[in-house]
Amino acid sequence: MKKYKTVLMDETDHIKLEKLCSMHGRNMKEFTSQMIDFFDRTGMDPTDERNTNLKEAIKELRKENNRIISFIKQQEKTKLEPILDQMAVGYRTFEKNVGTLNKMGVMEEQLSKVLRNQGKLWECLENTRKKAVQKAIQLFSNYLKEQEWGKAIGVGKYVKNPKELNDKYMEKFFEI
């Protein structure tokens, strides 16, 4: 069984309490208990002048809330929407160019093959050039030997100074 205590109050306060109870449709015990719970929950001090008018405080909060919402909506219009529009345009452009990018990848691959083939061709040409130079040197050397042999036996055409001719034409063969 609950124990109850009596609270002494001024007659004027008792009349105010009765009016508040009837206004809110509660009995005095229930209303007093709810007031105590309210002050306990909110931590409000009934003697503090700033806490006495909650309706005004709520109105001010709503005004501030509306001002903040208005600010956010303005930011959406002036900042966010243009950014989103630019992103959408960029995305559409990207979608259009994806095919081109794929084609560029294929072209890059083909170009790579061409460059590899060009390298092989260059290597082949270089080897052929070296072989041609070697062959020309060998032929010229044989020719000079024949000229010297002809001179030695006194038959046929021969070169008067084969060493000078050899030096002169050797430079030309290495220029090839």
Side-chain angles (χ1 to χ4, degrees), residues 82-172:
I83 290 171
L84 291 175
D85 290 343
Q86 288 175 348
M87 286 176 65
V89 167
Y91 181 74
R92 284 193 294 275
T93 304
F94 177 76
E95 279 185 325
K96 287 179 186 176
N97 292 329
V98 164
T100 305
L101 290 173
N102 289 337
K103 288 178 188 174
M104 287 177 64
V106 170
M107 288 174 61
E108 185 178 335
E109 189 177 308
Q110 290 174 348
L111 180 61
S112 174
K113 287 178 184 177
V114 167
L115 290 174
R116 280 195 304 272
N117 287 338
Q118 183 182 13
K120 289 176 185 176
L121 181 62
W122 180 257
E123 187 179 310
C124 183
L125 288 172
E126 185 65 21
N127 288 339
T128 304
R129 186 188 72 79
K130 285 179 183 178
K131 286 178 185 176
V133 167
Q134 288 296 326
K135 189 173 184 178
I137 290 171
Q138 186 65 41
L139 286 172
F140 185 66
S141 178
N142 290 342
Y143 173 74
L144 290 178
K145 283 179 187 175
E146 283 183 30
Q147 291 296 319
E148 288 176 15
W149 178 76
K151 181 180 176 185
I153 61 169
V155 183
K157 295 181 182 179
Y158 60 90
V159 176
K160 291 181 184 177
N161 189 351
K163 171 92 170 99
E164 181 182 316
L165 185 65
N166 187 20
D167 291 343
K168 179 180 176 184
Y169 281 96
M170 271 302 209
E171 290 174 13
K172 290 186 179 186

